[in-house]
Amino acid sequence: MEFKKYIRSKRLPILGMGLLIVAALFFIRYTTNDSVGLNLPNQARDLFTISISVILESLPFIVLGVLLSIAVQVWLPEDFIIKRLPKNPILRRMTISFLGMLLPVCECGNVPLARGLIVKGLTVPDSLTFLLAAPILNPITIITTQQAFGGDMTVLVARLLGGFLIANIIGMIFSRYPSNKSMLSDSFQAICEQPDPHNHTHKKHMKRSAKILLQELNAIMPALFIGAFIAGAVQLLGPRELLSILGADPILSILAMMLLAFIVSICSNVDAFFALAFKNTFTTGAIVSFLTFGPMIDIKMLALMRTTYRPAVIAQVVALAALMSLVLGLVVNYAF
């Protein structure tokens, strides 16, 4: 009965509306082809194209992340993951950093997965460590980075070490917060406080899985649509010529590439090939900062994180990740 009530609630129409918006974007983009005859300004076409590409790139990983979140919350035994983590907070966060090796989801899918881990008992600082490290420390990202920069191990090693250190330092800083609840959004707190049903029959599991699927998609998908549209608009209007001019400066090049990473919102599984195009115009440190900061913080990621964490927490994470990514790029530029 509870699941049926959820289906009839106002949340499902909101999700359906979001899916209709995506379908409308596809329709508009298709009908603006010259062969069809409906013409829109070139900038409008580009906006639809970029927004759709961001959604298509992110959607499979978000769905995978939601499914993994359901597996963690419903199908795994109680505290299966939590009990196997070290008790020491520092060692636990270091171990959590490598969960991406077992769960190779890009940053988009890691948000619903982190939500599921929090529901199961993971602390908020631990979830932030996972959220920031997993997109970089996973086999797909490692392979694509090595393939793109095969002749320059500096980029790969600096990206992996930098991602690991930044995620763990941020996790350690937020472990000083007095309360987990003070870092979570009100809507997600309500989800965490829902009682866990003790009747673990297969039928109950299926109903709860369906409920969580709708619940997570309702929370994540609108954020993805909004984030993709904003990312497309900023990419379209961004000062690309200025970024190229700044490429040779050891400090400004890092800031420019970090800004570019924030704007383009490209998936961590393929961002190395995007960055490769700037290898001859930007410093190595700038490339490393792009590959480190981008998977942690970008436009669509901010929208997705807002479904789980309070704005003040997100602002602090952004500031810390940006500062440490800048320092990482400077170390690479001046030491290698």
Side-chain angles (χ1 to χ4, degrees):
M1 290 297 295
E2 183 182 358
F3 174 65
K4 290 180 179 179
K5 289 179 182 177
Y6 187 85
I7 290 289
R8 289 194 293 265
S9 71
K10 63 182 179 180
R11 296 189 178 190
L12 190 57
I14 293 175
L15 177 59
M17 187 179 301
L19 295 175
L20 286 175
I21 292 174
V22 175
L25 287 174
F26 277 100
F27 175 77
I28 293 171
R29 182 64 190 94
Y30 171 75
T31 56
T32 54
N33 289 333
D34 293 334
S35 59
V36 176
L38 178 60
N39 292 315
L40 287 179
N42 288 335
Q43 283 193 326
R45 293 189 190 183
D46 292 341
L47 175 61
F48 290 130
T49 300
I50 295 172
S51 300
I52 290 171
S53 67
V54 171
I55 292 171
L56 286 179
E57 184 182 76
S58 306
L59 194 56
F61 296 101
I62 285 182
V63 172
L64 178 58
V66 170
L67 294 177
L68 289 173
S69 177
I70 292 171
V72 168
Q73 294 185 58
V74 179
W75 297 96
L76 282 183
E78 187 70 22
D79 298 333
F80 178 85
I81 294 178
I82 308 300
K83 287 182 178 179
R84 284 161 174 77
L85 294 173
K87 300 298 182 183
N88 181 279
I90 296 177
L91 292 178
R92 186 174 65 248
R93 285 191 292 271
M94 292 174 66
T95 303
I96 288 170
S97 302
F98 293 100
L99 279 181
M101 292 289 185
L102 302 175
L103 306 168
V105 183
C106 82
E107 63 269 24
C108 312
N110 279 324
V111 174
L113 183 52
R115 289 163 62 90
L117 291 171
I118 293 173
V119 171
K120 275 297 187 180
L122 201 69
T123 67
V124 174
D126 292 349
S127 75
L128 288 171
T129 302
F130 165 76
L131 203 59
L132 298 174
I136 297 174
L137 299 173
N138 80 65
I140 299 176
T141 301
I142 293 172
I143 291 171
T144 55
T145 304
Q146 195 278 330
Q147 289 293 316
F149 297 93
D152 187 0
M153 290 301 293
T154 301
V155 174
L156 176 61
V157 174
R159 182 182 200 186
L160 297 180
L161 288 178
F164 176 81
L165 289 173
I166 292 172
N168 278 272
I169 291 172
I170 291 178
M172 181 180 65
I173 291 173
F174 279 92
S175 68
R176 305 289 184 177
Y177 264 66
S179 168
N180 272 312
K181 288 185 177 181
S182 65
M183 293 183 274
L184 295 175
S185 65
D186 293 337
S187 59
F188 187 58
Q189 277 190 48
I191 293 174
C192 293
E193 292 170 0
Q194 290 177 1
D196 182 27
H198 296 288
N199 188 351
H200 296 295
T201 64
H202 181 79
K203 186 176 181 180
K204 290 286 185 180
H205 278 344
M206 292 299 295
K207 286 185 176 180
R208 188 166 177 234
S209 297
K211 177 181 176 180
I212 293 174
L213 176 66
L214 292 176
Q215 197 174 53
E216 289 297 307
L217 290 179
N218 176 69
I220 298 295
M221 295 302 287
L224 173 64
F225 302 150
I226 295 170
F229 184 82
I230 295 175
V234 175
Q235 279 192 63
L236 195 60
L237 302 174
R240 298 182 183 180
E241 295 81 5
L242 180 61
L243 292 178
S244 299
I245 294 173
L246 300 175
D249 188 278
I251 298 177
L252 294 179
S253 64
I254 296 173
L255 295 173
M257 286 300 286
M258 288 172 59
L259 176 62
L260 184 64
F262 180 79
I263 291 173
V264 297
S265 302
I266 194 170
C267 178
S268 62
N269 291 339
V270 295
D271 61 357
F273 293 104
F274 181 89
L276 185 61
F278 298 90
K279 183 179 180 181
N280 295 326
T281 54
F282 279 77
T283 64
T284 302
I287 299 295
V288 171
S289 293
F290 174 92
L291 295 174
T292 306
F293 183 67
M296 296 181 177
I297 305 295
D298 59 31
I299 292 175
K300 71 177 186 307
M301 188 64 175
L302 291 184
L304 295 173
M305 289 178 69
R306 183 64 186 90
T307 65
T308 306
Y309 306 100
R310 292 191 182 277
V313 172
I314 297 174
Q316 293 173 57
V317 171
V318 172
L320 289 168
L323 180 59
M324 285 186 273
S325 297
L326 173 61
V327 171
L328 175 64
L330 291 173
V331 169
V332 171
N333 275 346
Y334 287 106
F336 297 96

